[in-house]
mmCIF file of all heavy atoms in Angstrom:
data_model
loop_
_atom_site.group_PDB
_atom_site.id
_atom_site.type_symbol
_atom_site.label_atom_id
_atom_site.label_comp_id
_atom_site.label_asym_id
_atom_site.label_seq_id
_atom_site.Cartn_x
_atom_site.Cartn_y
_atom_site.Cartn_z
ATOM 1 N N LEU A 52 -0.839 -5.712 -1.259
ATOM 2 C CA LEU A 52 -0.001 -5.217 -2.424
ATOM 3 C C LEU A 52 -0.093 -3.587 -2.514
ATOM 4 O O LEU A 52 0.937 -2.959 -2.793
ATOM 5 C CB LEU A 52 -0.343 -5.806 -3.763
ATOM 6 C CG LEU A 52 -0.172 -7.322 -3.873
ATOM 7 C CD1 LEU A 52 -0.535 -7.633 -5.207
ATOM 8 C CD2 LEU A 52 1.205 -7.762 -3.568
ATOM 9 N N VAL A 53 -1.284 -3.035 -2.457
ATOM 10 C CA VAL A 53 -1.453 -1.674 -2.483
ATOM 11 C C VAL A 53 -0.827 -0.872 -1.389
ATOM 12 O O VAL A 53 -0.090 -0.029 -1.525
ATOM 13 C CB VAL A 53 -3.038 -1.344 -2.563
ATOM 14 C CG1 VAL A 53 -3.268 0.152 -2.466
ATOM 15 C CG2 VAL A 53 -3.699 -1.878 -3.783
ATOM 16 N N THR A 54 -0.929 -1.489 -0.115
ATOM 17 C CA THR A 54 -0.288 -0.895 1.091
ATOM 18 C C THR A 54 1.281 -0.980 0.814
ATOM 19 O O THR A 54 1.881 0.102 0.981
ATOM 20 C CB THR A 54 -0.658 -1.636 2.282
ATOM 21 O OG1 THR A 54 -2.074 -1.588 2.400
ATOM 22 C CG2 THR A 54 -0.024 -1.095 3.530
ATOM 23 N N LEU A 55 1.767 -2.034 0.351
ATOM 24 C CA LEU A 55 3.146 -2.204 0.138
ATOM 25 C C LEU A 55 3.688 -1.171 -1.045
ATOM 26 O O LEU A 55 4.819 -0.520 -0.853
ATOM 27 C CB LEU A 55 3.532 -3.670 -0.341
ATOM 28 C CG LEU A 55 3.439 -4.710 0.731
ATOM 29 C CD1 LEU A 55 3.536 -5.982 0.212
ATOM 30 C CD2 LEU A 55 4.543 -4.470 1.798
ATOM 31 N N LYS A 56 2.987 -0.982 -1.965
ATOM 32 C CA LYS A 56 3.323 -0.011 -3.010
ATOM 33 C C LYS A 56 3.273 1.503 -2.474
ATOM 34 O O LYS A 56 4.109 2.172 -2.835
ATOM 35 C CB LYS A 56 2.359 -0.206 -4.188
ATOM 36 C CG LYS A 56 2.889 0.631 -5.486
ATOM 37 C CD LYS A 56 4.078 0.068 -5.948
ATOM 38 C CE LYS A 56 4.414 0.681 -7.342
ATOM 39 N NZ LYS A 56 5.651 0.194 -7.875
ATOM 40 N N VAL A 57 2.341 1.785 -1.644
ATOM 41 C CA VAL A 57 2.274 3.051 -1.031
ATOM 42 C C VAL A 57 3.501 3.300 -0.132
ATOM 43 O O VAL A 57 4.166 4.317 -0.229
ATOM 44 C CB VAL A 57 0.933 3.241 -0.257
ATOM 45 C CG1 VAL A 57 1.040 4.525 0.692
ATOM 46 C CG2 VAL A 57 -0.294 3.376 -1.053
ATOM 47 N N ILE A 58 3.915 2.267 0.632
ATOM 48 C CA ILE A 58 5.105 2.298 1.425
ATOM 49 C C ILE A 58 6.233 2.623 0.573
ATOM 50 O O ILE A 58 7.092 3.508 0.794
ATOM 51 C CB ILE A 58 5.218 1.063 2.278
ATOM 52 C CG1 ILE A 58 4.093 0.927 3.385
ATOM 53 C CG2 ILE A 58 6.555 0.883 2.863
ATOM 54 C CD1 ILE A 58 4.005 -0.427 4.002
ATOM 55 N N LYS A 59 6.362 1.794 -0.400
ATOM 56 C CA LYS A 59 7.513 1.924 -1.336
ATOM 57 C C LYS A 59 7.608 3.321 -1.966
ATOM 58 O O LYS A 59 8.685 4.007 -1.966
ATOM 59 C CB LYS A 59 7.575 1.017 -2.498
ATOM 60 C CG LYS A 59 8.786 1.163 -3.445
ATOM 61 C CD LYS A 59 8.655 0.244 -4.593
ATOM 62 C CE LYS A 59 9.882 0.300 -5.520
ATOM 63 N NZ LYS A 59 10.553 1.595 -5.661
ATOM 64 N N ASN A 60 6.383 3.864 -2.437
ATOM 65 C CA ASN A 60 6.515 5.215 -2.932
ATOM 66 C C ASN A 60 6.773 6.313 -1.890
ATOM 67 O O ASN A 60 7.555 7.232 -2.179
ATOM 68 C CB ASN A 60 4.960 5.678 -3.424
ATOM 69 C CG ASN A 60 4.669 4.875 -4.756
ATOM 70 O OD1 ASN A 60 5.494 4.198 -5.322
ATOM 71 N ND2 ASN A 60 3.415 4.940 -5.098
ATOM 72 N N LEU A 61 6.383 6.175 -0.702
ATOM 73 C CA LEU A 61 6.788 7.038 0.357
ATOM 74 C C LEU A 61 8.214 7.088 0.728
ATOM 75 O O LEU A 61 8.977 7.986 0.833
ATOM 76 C CB LEU A 61 5.929 6.809 1.638
ATOM 77 C CG LEU A 61 4.448 7.134 1.630
ATOM 78 C CD1 LEU A 61 3.676 6.609 2.841
ATOM 79 C CD2 LEU A 61 4.252 8.691 1.519
ATOM 80 N N LEU A 62 8.804 5.816 0.762
ATOM 81 C CA LEU A 62 10.202 5.649 1.067
ATOM 82 C C LEU A 62 10.979 6.267 -0.169
ATOM 83 O O LEU A 62 12.077 6.895 0.100
ATOM 84 C CB LEU A 62 10.532 4.199 1.288
ATOM 85 C CG LEU A 62 10.066 3.682 2.631
ATOM 86 C CD1 LEU A 62 10.267 2.145 2.678
ATOM 87 C CD2 LEU A 62 10.713 4.328 3.778
ATOM 88 N N ASP A 63 10.606 6.041 -1.426
ATOM 89 C CA ASP A 63 11.238 6.479 -2.514
ATOM 90 C C ASP A 63 11.405 8.077 -2.589
ATOM 91 O O ASP A 63 12.257 8.614 -3.193
ATOM 92 C CB ASP A 63 10.668 5.973 -3.818
ATOM 93 C CG ASP A 63 10.953 4.490 -4.032
ATOM 94 O OD1 ASP A 63 11.771 3.919 -3.358
ATOM 95 O OD2 ASP A 63 10.409 3.986 -5.043
ATOM 96 N N THR A 64 10.348 8.716 -1.960
ATOM 97 C CA THR A 64 10.437 10.136 -1.949
ATOM 98 C C THR A 64 11.127 10.806 -0.695
ATOM 99 O O THR A 64 11.120 12.029 -0.538
ATOM 100 C CB THR A 64 8.989 10.738 -1.965
ATOM 101 O OG1 THR A 64 8.271 10.223 -0.884
ATOM 102 C CG2 THR A 64 8.294 10.353 -3.318
ATOM 103 N N GLY A 65 11.681 9.872 0.063
ATOM 104 C CA GLY A 65 12.553 10.300 1.177
ATOM 105 C C GLY A 65 11.876 10.408 2.587
ATOM 106 O O GLY A 65 12.525 10.816 3.575
ATOM 107 N N VAL A 66 10.658 9.858 2.665
ATOM 108 C CA VAL A 66 10.002 9.818 4.061
ATOM 109 C C VAL A 66 10.626 8.855 4.927
ATOM 110 O O VAL A 66 11.000 7.685 4.344
ATOM 111 C CB VAL A 66 8.459 9.603 3.873
ATOM 112 C CG1 VAL A 66 7.819 9.519 5.177
ATOM 113 C CG2 VAL A 66 7.805 10.669 3.042
ATOM 114 N N SER A 67 10.867 9.035 6.084
ATOM 115 C CA SER A 67 11.573 8.079 6.915
ATOM 116 C C SER A 67 10.621 6.927 7.214
ATOM 117 O O SER A 67 9.457 7.039 7.179
ATOM 118 C CB SER A 67 11.990 8.761 8.377
ATOM 119 O OG SER A 67 10.787 8.974 9.127
ATOM 120 N N LEU A 68 11.284 5.801 7.612
ATOM 121 C CA LEU A 68 10.405 4.573 7.860
ATOM 122 C C LEU A 68 9.532 4.747 9.057
ATOM 123 O O LEU A 68 8.325 4.323 8.971
ATOM 124 C CB LEU A 68 11.299 3.453 8.064
ATOM 125 C CG LEU A 68 10.697 2.045 8.220
ATOM 126 C CD1 LEU A 68 9.946 1.739 6.952
ATOM 127 C CD2 LEU A 68 11.753 0.998 8.447
ATOM 128 N N GLN A 69 9.913 5.567 10.053
ATOM 129 C CA GLN A 69 9.064 5.807 11.160
ATOM 130 C C GLN A 69 7.752 6.562 10.772
ATOM 131 O O GLN A 69 6.636 6.220 11.200
ATOM 132 C CB GLN A 69 9.770 6.592 12.337
ATOM 133 C CG GLN A 69 8.901 6.719 13.559
ATOM 134 C CD GLN A 69 8.459 5.307 14.089
ATOM 135 O OE1 GLN A 69 9.188 4.448 14.267
ATOM 136 N NE2 GLN A 69 7.095 5.300 14.384
#
Side-chain angles (χ1 to χ4, degrees):
L52 296 180
V53 172
T54 302
L55 288 163
K56 190 68 172 180
V57 168
I58 291 167
K59 182 189 184 318
N60 289 350
L61 288 168
L62 290 172
D63 285 351
T64 57
V66 176
S67 73
L68 186 57
Q69 185 55 48

